[in-house]
Amino acid sequence: MRTLISLTSFLFVILLLSGCQSVPSDAEIQIQVAKKVLSNNNEKIFSLDNFHKVNGLSVDKQTYIAEVEYGLVFRKGLEELSEELNRTSNDNPLAAFGSGTELLAQLMKYGQFKAGDRIPHHEKFKLIKTEQGWRMADDFNL
């Protein structure tokens, strides 16, 4: 009887500990990086591929620094985006102004680009553990 109770207690502790991840999984990191990189309508401009976690550092139980590599692949070229902006400007000039500033920001950040161009990235991201899982620290202005 004592063996059964000990075995049950041991299994219960193992189950509890397996639910407490002290570091985010590679999949959780990839989801958070994709949310960050593809925010602000960027998913219309490029996609994320070849994601790979290079390294990680557990600062404490709630904070993790992930070093990752990934590629941005442009879905549309600068010329195509400019044509879309011209079509939008006829229907909604105010929206076109906002889109124009976004387009200018993309041009300044990436230069001339065509559909299919790929830009490699190597970055570090700070993640924090929340009640709803791991999230980017930037989401909380930390």
Side-chain angles (χ1 to χ4, degrees):
M1 180 70 168
R2 216 182 293 190
T3 307
L4 182 60
I5 292 173
S6 296
L7 182 60
T8 304
S9 298
F10 178 74
L11 289 174
F12 182 72
V13 169
I14 295 296
L15 285 173
L16 279 176
L17 291 177
S18 66
C20 301
Q21 289 183 313
S22 59
V23 298
S25 69
D26 289 3
E28 287 175 305
I29 295 169
Q30 183 174 359
I31 288 168
Q32 293 304 315
V33 169
K35 283 182 182 178
K36 174 90 174 148
V37 171
L38 301 176
S39 64
N40 300 323
N41 289 324
N42 283 338
E43 74 277 359
K44 295 177 183 177
I45 299 171
F46 45 72
S47 62
L48 189 133
D49 77 346
N50 295 333
F51 181 88
H52 174 70
K53 183 180 92 173
V54 176
N55 202 358
L57 172 66
S58 184
V59 178
D60 55 41
K61 289 182 180 181
Q62 303 294 110
T63 311
Y64 187 80
I65 307 292
E67 182 180 1
V68 300
E69 293 178 337
Y70 59 91
L72 291 180
V73 180
F74 287 91
R75 297 177 188 270
K76 301 174 182 180
L78 187 61
E79 199 172 295
E80 188 178 351
L81 290 170
S82 181
E83 288 172 10
E84 286 180 9
L85 178 61
N86 286 336
R87 285 192 300 270
T88 304
S89 65
N90 294 334
D91 299 334
N92 188 346
L94 192 56
F97 177 76
S99 297
T101 56
E102 286 179 32
L103 186 61
L104 182 59
Q106 297 299 336
L107 177 61
M108 292 174 64
K109 189 171 185 178
Y110 302 112
Q112 294 285 335
F113 54 89
K114 299 181 299 269
D117 283 356
R118 186 177 185 282
I119 299 175
H121 281 266
H122 186 111
E123 293 185 68
K124 292 179 184 173
F125 293 94
K126 182 178 179 181
L127 294 101
I128 58 171
K129 190 171 187 178
T130 70
E131 293 174 349
Q132 298 176 353
W134 290 93
R135 302 261 309 270
M136 288 289 182
D138 292 350
D139 293 350
F140 302 96
N141 295 322
L142 297 176

